[in-house]
Amino acid sequence: MPISPQLELAFRDRFGTRPVTCVRAPGRVNLMGEHTDYNDGFVMPVAIDRAITIALRPRTDRLVTVHSLDYQQSVTFSLDDLQRGERGWAAYVIGVAWALQSAGSALLGWEGILSGDIPKGAGLSSSAALELATARAFAAISGLAWDPARMARLGQQAENQWVGVQCGIMDQMASAAGRAGHALFLDCRSLEYRHIPMPAGIAIAVLDTGTRRGLVDSAYNERRQQCELAARTLGVRALRDIDTAAFKVRATELEPLTRRRARHIIRDNARVLQAIQAMQADDAGTLGQLLNASHASLRDDFEVSSEALNAIVEAAQRQEECFGARMTGAGFGGCAVALVETGQASRFAEQVAAEYIHQTGLNPQIFVCQTADGANILPA
Ligand code: GLA
């Protein structure tokens, strides 16, 4: 996929030349393993064909200048004097420069134009895509080696320590290391990963409820603390270290609420491994059942779903051509994901939209996404 004519034109308008290079990093949708990443567990996201793209050229000084087409805003900063004042998208760009420099990378200045088509705040990881696109830009200009796992960690560090949002490693790893045609099976403790081929005949539908998550940060942090408490009480480093059999025996050591939180994590971890088996056996039916079970667990045990998410997931699950559906990402709003028979996706989308609008009065956005490669440099 070459650079879009619109981005090239915007670059020419602003800088008077063609860009020297163009980088992109994708958003993601998570198929299985939700809230498991910060429990050192397993996840299985796919990188999707919605991305952040940056067209750029080097500068001879130590400045970085980025213009966002979507926000119609620019930021300029010096690599010798990174300031914490910026908010919004610019904070992510500066935060990545900070993380790279803190890790010892020698950075060079550049200027460019940034644009994206990932819905924001929808649980499709537009922030991680912005971090990885920025890292890819710095790596291209400064001649840094591109190690996806290292870059994902630095993106996460920028988000945790510079922007101040607690998140796990899943989104950054999906954006850094995804591969077209595959899901990314990731061990969030070792960061070892494998690309699992998507079975033929399955389309991935993203169901955006049109609602945006409120209170998500505090609820997210609260869930993290509850999981840490469960691990501490059970005497393990992380909930990853307890499997479903061990949990059956020891569950009563936990208070009822903590027990439900832990039960979700431990079962969703197991479901990631089962999902891989189902995919390798081309068993879309079992894979779909696993999605449905994961949704029920997120709704009842982990309590991060919402009325809108439940409504759209149930509408999806009612359709004959749907193998299974669940909320995806942190929860409380945003998107669900459904696996649907290829060829039936438009009928599915129309029907789910109609039922959802009828039930909730809200306007959904439903689209089939293609799997995509992780962060890369676009051909000139
Ligand atoms: C957000 C976080 C991820 C992960 C998911 C829930 O997307 O950024 O690290 O914890 O929520 O699975």
Side-chain angles (χ1 to χ4, degrees):
M1 189 203 332
I3 175 174
S4 79
Q6 185 211 12
L7 191 56
E8 180 160 353
L9 201 68
F11 192 93
R12 242 181 224 291
D13 269 358
R14 185 161 283 260
F15 299 113
T17 61
R18 293 196 61 204
V20 167
T21 189
C22 188
V23 297
R24 65 164 268 297
R28 64 99 187 94
V29 55
N30 185 21
L31 296 183
M32 191 56 75
E34 214 65 82
H35 290 269
T36 46
D37 62 350
Y38 54 80
N39 289 287
D40 278 3
F42 304 125
V43 290
M44 196 170 58
V46 293
I48 61 174
D49 56 345
R50 297 289 187 109
I52 304 265
T53 308
I54 307 177
L56 66 154
R57 66 176 186 184
R59 287 180 66 111
T60 49
D61 55 19
R62 304 269 301 147
L63 296 184
V64 175
T65 290
V66 189
H67 177 74
S68 160
L69 269 192
D70 309 324
Y71 290 102
Q72 287 297 320
Q73 287 170 355
S74 300
V75 65
T76 296
F77 57 94
S78 163
L79 290 168
D80 298 321
D81 182 24
L82 301 180
Q83 297 284 343
R84 284 188 182 262
E86 293 287 342
R87 300 178 66 85
W89 65 273
Y92 290 84
V93 175
I94 301 171
V96 168
W98 167 79
L100 282 162
Q101 291 196 145
S102 307
S105 296
L107 301 184
L108 298 175
W110 52 273
E111 55 199 1
I113 298 206
L114 181 158
S115 157
D117 61 357
I118 310 171
K120 294 177 189 65
L124 300 177
S125 296
S126 58
S127 310
L130 176 54
E131 290 150 20
L132 270 297
T134 304
R136 198 71 200 80
F138 273 115
I141 291 293
S142 315
L144 310 179
W146 185 256
D147 171 352
R150 175 168 183 270
M151 292 298 174
R153 273 230 195 274
L154 292 174
Q156 182 198 22
Q157 229 169 58
E159 185 150 347
N160 290 170
Q161 294 173 33
W162 187 272
V163 182
V165 174
Q166 288 310 312
C167 62
I169 191 67
M170 166 170 71
D171 306 343
Q172 288 78 8
M173 278 299 289
S175 186
R179 180 184 289 175
H182 296 75
L184 182 79
F185 166 47
L186 171 67
D187 178 333
C188 298
R189 175 170 280 167
S190 66
L191 293 198
E192 279 168 357
Y193 57 86
R194 250 167 53 208
H195 294 110
I196 311 290
M198 283 301 297
I202 297 184
I204 301 171
V206 173
L207 321 171
D208 186 345
T209 57
T211 61
R212 292 296 176 257
R213 28 189 220 195
L215 289 181
V216 67
D217 285 354
S218 53
Y220 188 87
N221 292 340
E222 184 189 67
R223 295 301 180 283
R224 286 187 77 131
Q225 283 159 14
Q226 291 164 336
C227 291
E228 281 160 21
L229 172 64
R232 252 198 327 275
T233 312
L234 294 169
V236 290
R237 183 170 147 199
L239 284 177
R240 141 74 176 276
D241 298 305
I242 301 268
D243 63 13
T244 47
F247 186 67
K248 259 204 186 111
V249 180
R250 304 194 52 194
T252 51
E253 294 173 33
L254 303 174
E255 296 294 325
L257 181 97
T258 319
R259 190 187 310 159
R260 282 192 285 123
R261 302 293 191 251
R263 186 166 61 193
H264 163 73
I265 298 300
I266 289 160
R267 289 185 175 169
D268 236 34
N269 263 336
R271 277 188 284 264
V272 173
L273 304 178
Q274 291 160 3
I276 292 169
Q277 283 179 351
M279 285 169 72
Q280 286 170 339
D282 249 332
D283 183 351
T286 299
L287 185 60
Q289 294 301 317
L290 289 164
L291 263 75
N292 294 346
S294 176
H295 183 75
S297 169
L298 287 157
R299 182 192 59 209
D300 302 335
D301 276 352
F302 215 63
E303 295 181 281
V304 291
S305 190
S306 68
E307 268 178 44
L309 280 166
N310 293 339
I312 213 158
V313 163
E314 283 157 27
Q317 289 171 345
R318 279 195 294 272
Q319 312 307 317
E320 212 179 300
E321 59 275 24
C322 178
F323 299 113
R326 64 192 278 280
M327 55 151 277
T328 186
F332 304 102
C335 290
V337 59
L339 300 180
V340 183
E341 268 174 57
T342 321
Q344 302 296 318
S346 14
R347 198 213 76 93
F348 169 82
E350 268 169 39
Q351 193 58 33
V352 172
E355 292 182 25
Y356 178 73
I357 291 167
H358 180 75
Q359 191 184 335
T360 63
L362 296 166
N363 241 329
Q365 296 290 327
I366 301 183
F367 58 92
V368 170
C369 66
Q370 306 300 323
T371 55
D373 284 333
N376 58 10
I377 298 180
L378 294 181

